[in-house]
Amino acid sequence: MMAEPVDSLLAAVPMPLLLVGQDQRLLGANLPAQALFGAIEPGRPLVTVIRTPALLEALDTVLAGGGPVETRILRTGALQDISYLVRVSAVEGLGRRAALVALTDTTDIEKVEEMRRDFVANVSHELRTPLTALMGFIETLTGPARNDPAARDRFLGIMGREAQRMNRLVRDLLSLSRVEQEERMRPGERIDLVALLRAAIAALRPVSEAAGVEIEVLGGEAPIALPADSDQMSQVFSNLIENAVKYGGAGRKVTIEITRDARDPGLRGPAVCFAVVDRGEGIEAIHLPRLTERFYRVDAHRSREKGGTGLGLAIVKHILNRHRGRLKIESTRGIGSRFTVILPDM
């Protein structure tokens, strides 16, 4: 049995702690450790609680007189694997040498690091493709096609499109960065969102007319003033409407429905809803949960052809987070898709 001061010290630490004796039997565990491993009686061999070889080797080293050792273990949780950084340190003053095993949950940190690596890899990939094309065309124009006017005009046109693609990507990356920085800052100015929506429709009129798409608005006869950032909400409306026009099918109709809901289950209160409905091919259900991820595309080739960067819906999600709203996505193959912006009606 541990001395009372040691018991109190273990109990005061919020991270899981295991105290192990020279014979590698447990002298005690605090409540977080018991929540993680179950009830632990003093005298129980550590190997019956944790069987990770790296941890047992670290324990051997420390109990043999070595310094602190760090290692990692992975445990299977109910919904996901949980990663722990484990530090094994010597403890003196208990009559004989013992070891303290401290576990720190690093799952979220590793997820963030993985997201950062994926983000850098995706940006590199998105930039590499147009840069490779530009370098190839420049080499051709300064070499074999130097005196070929037809080839020069054709290549310059392609180079212009690739440069515009890189410009759109950089623009969206900067926009995403700004939105993330401001995500915790609530907008204070009340803005008429119906007027913003109609302005976004007017700005996209040339795009919809070129695609032969009719945009109709149902509702929104009266102004709807809510606390909002006008530039960001204009970006939300423009993004969703432009996506509907581009991917909803040429020669079809895009409908924008403006409604009020007395109680939205997600917001737990009254809400204003702006739904953008297209009659395109629809999206398979397996893709819907991932549509707001950075660079996630249902059809990468088609998206790039239409000028998409794969960041639009991620930007929309972060803007709506700032406005305490949410984005609801529904789609049926062969019928179309509905993207609904839901904002608290305050």
Side-chain angles (χ1 to χ4, degrees), residues 87-99:
R87 182 178 175 86
V88 184
S89 308
V91 176
E92 306 290 351
L94 297 177
R96 53 180 176 168
R97 191 176 182 87

Side-chain angles (χ1 to χ4, degrees), residues 263-292:
R263 180 173 176 78
D264 176 75
L267 300 181
R268 298 182 180 180
V272 178
C273 304
F274 298 85
V276 180
V277 185
D278 68 55
R279 284 114 178 135
E281 300 173 2
I283 305 166
E284 292 183 7
I286 191 174
H287 297 293
L288 298 184
R290 301 192 60 190
L291 288 181
T292 57

